[in-house]
Amino acid sequence: MIKFRAWNQIDSEYINEINAVMSLDGSHIWWDINDSGEMEYDDDPGDYKLEQFTGLKDVNGKDIYIGDVVKAWSDMSELTMEPTVNEIVSEDLFGRPGVFLKPAGPHLFEPFLYDSRSNQFEIIGNVHENAELLEE
C-alpha cells in the first residue's frame, strides 16, 4: 500500500497516513482523511503538500517520508562516525524522479536512498517545521 501524509499549509500541521490520489497535473486531489472509505474532492490542492512514504523506517522504527530531514551514516559498521544531515527528496538535482538524499549545503549529487540500508538513518525533523536543520 502506498501511504501519504499531507502538510496543511493553512494550519501548519500534518495530516498523517491518508489515502490520497492526485491528478497527474497536480490540479485536483481526492482523499480519505478520516478513513471513512469515501474519497473527498479538493479542487485547491495548493493548500496541502502531499509527501509519500518511502517504504523505509529509521533507526527508531519511524516511517521515512519525502520531506523528512535525516541524519545519515556512511557505513553501517561505523555508527559512531559523524553523520551528515540530508533532506529526503522526490527527484535528484537533474529532475529525475526517485527518492534521494539531498545533503545540506553545497553538493554535487544526491545519493539514491535505496542504495543505503534503512537503519543508517535517523529522522531529526522535517522541511516544514525544522528548515533550520538544512542551513549550513
Side-chain angles (χ1 to χ4, degrees):
M1 179 173 90
I2 299 174
K3 294 191 308 186
F4 293 91
R5 68 182 182 191
W7 175 252
N8 181 331
Q9 299 183 107
I10 303 297
D11 298 326
S12 296
E13 64 184 10
Y14 273 109
I15 301 169
N16 290 308
E17 294 190 28
I18 59 172
N19 296 316
V21 177
M22 182 177 279
S23 62
L24 290 177
D25 65 1
S27 63
H28 301 86
I29 186 171
W30 294 264
W31 53 10
D32 180 3
I33 295 175
N34 300 319
D35 208 18
S36 65
E38 294 182 25
M39 298 297 276
E40 296 178 25
Y41 173 79
D42 188 341
D43 61 356
D44 189 9
D47 293 345
Y48 301 92
K49 176 143 179 62
L50 281 182
E51 298 172 343
Q52 186 173 345
F53 174 51
T54 64
L56 300 174
K57 295 185 181 287
D58 79 345
V59 294
N60 298 309
K62 292 181 181 178
D63 292 346
I64 300 174
Y65 284 85
I66 300 295
D68 280 335
V69 177
V70 299
K71 284 184 183 177
W73 286 267
S74 61
D75 183 88
M76 182 59 195
S77 65
E78 298 291 337
L79 287 180
T80 57
M81 292 174 54
E82 189 67 30
T84 59
V85 174
N86 301 267
E87 176 185 353
I88 305 296
V89 296
S90 60
E91 60 182 37
D92 70 4
L93 185 64
F94 305 105
R96 293 179 296 205
V99 181
F100 299 91
L101 291 163
K102 179 180 178 183
H107 59 282
L108 297 175
F109 70 97
E110 289 108 14
F112 192 59
L113 182 66
Y114 299 105
D115 287 343
S116 303
R117 293 190 174 97
S118 63
N119 58 0
Q120 290 180 300
F121 307 108
E122 180 181 13
I123 297 170
I124 58 173
N126 64 70
V127 296
H128 307 291
E129 298 169 312
N130 312 102
E132 74 279 358
L133 294 172
L134 298 173
E135 296 172 3
E136 200 177 335

